[in-house]
Amino acid sequence: MARRPVAVVTAVALIVEAAGIALLNWILGLVVDRQQMSLGGLDPDAMSIGTWAAGGLFGLYLLLCGLVLLRAAVRDRAPGRLARILLITCAVVHGLVGAFSVGLVGWAAFAVLMVVLGLIVWSLLVYDESPVAAESGAAAPGATGAQGGDAPHPA
């Protein structure tokens, strides 16, 4: 199975997405700051700083997820337990943001987010450390079947 290429493509997609989110929030913060917009009486400076902080944190989160997958691809080993939890939360976030993006941005943004969601899930599945996979690898240490020894053989 093509574990490394899937992880690398997913990592690149998440890193590009992190840069895009950070840039988008930076621009939105500038617009709010320069036009002195207010929503419900909130301070415009607080809104622009909040936008920049939220964009930066979300960008760092996506960057961390991308780096975890890049590390998994370089080492060609499954991410650890905490890294897998991080990637699962990233997949859940992409599902939620994708659902909200349909009404706010449109179907194209939804499609892009669902492609990234699919890549994250695919990366998690190709590096699966299930007991069945470990057991089949231990039973035949040098065997490489039609599946390349990466996945359990059907019974």
Side-chain angles (χ1 to χ4, degrees):
M1 214 179 248
R3 296 188 317 186
R4 283 184 178 189
V6 169
V8 168
V9 168
T10 308
V12 168
L14 286 172
I15 291 168
V16 168
E17 186 178 3
I21 289 291
L23 180 65
L24 176 67
N25 279 287
W26 181 261
I27 292 170
L28 288 174
L30 287 176
V31 169
V32 170
D33 190 45
R34 290 191 179 150
Q35 293 190 1
Q36 293 296 310
M37 294 180 180
S38 177
L39 182 65
L42 293 173
D43 181 30
D45 291 332
M47 289 179 60
S48 61
I49 291 171
T51 301
W52 291 328
L57 288 174
F58 193 47
L60 285 175
Y61 170 71
L62 292 173
L63 183 64
L64 179 64
C65 293
L67 292 176
V68 163
L69 280 169
L70 199 58
R71 182 174 181 229
V74 168
R75 295 173 48 197
D76 198 25
R77 287 191 0 192
R81 179 174 291 178
L82 289 176
R84 289 181 72 80
I85 291 170
L86 179 76
L87 293 174
I88 290 168
T89 63
C90 189
V92 170
V93 166
H94 272 80
L96 292 172
V97 171
F100 291 130
S101 72
V102 173
L104 297 173
V105 183
W107 287 102
F110 173 78
V112 169
L113 286 166
M114 291 303 106
V115 166
V116 176
L117 169 66
L119 286 171
I120 294 168
V121 171
W122 193 10
S123 296
L124 285 167
L125 290 175
V126 295
Y127 281 111
D128 186 22
E129 289 187 320
S130 66
V132 175
E135 189 177 294
S136 69
T144 55
Q147 296 172 336
D150 289 340
H153 297 285

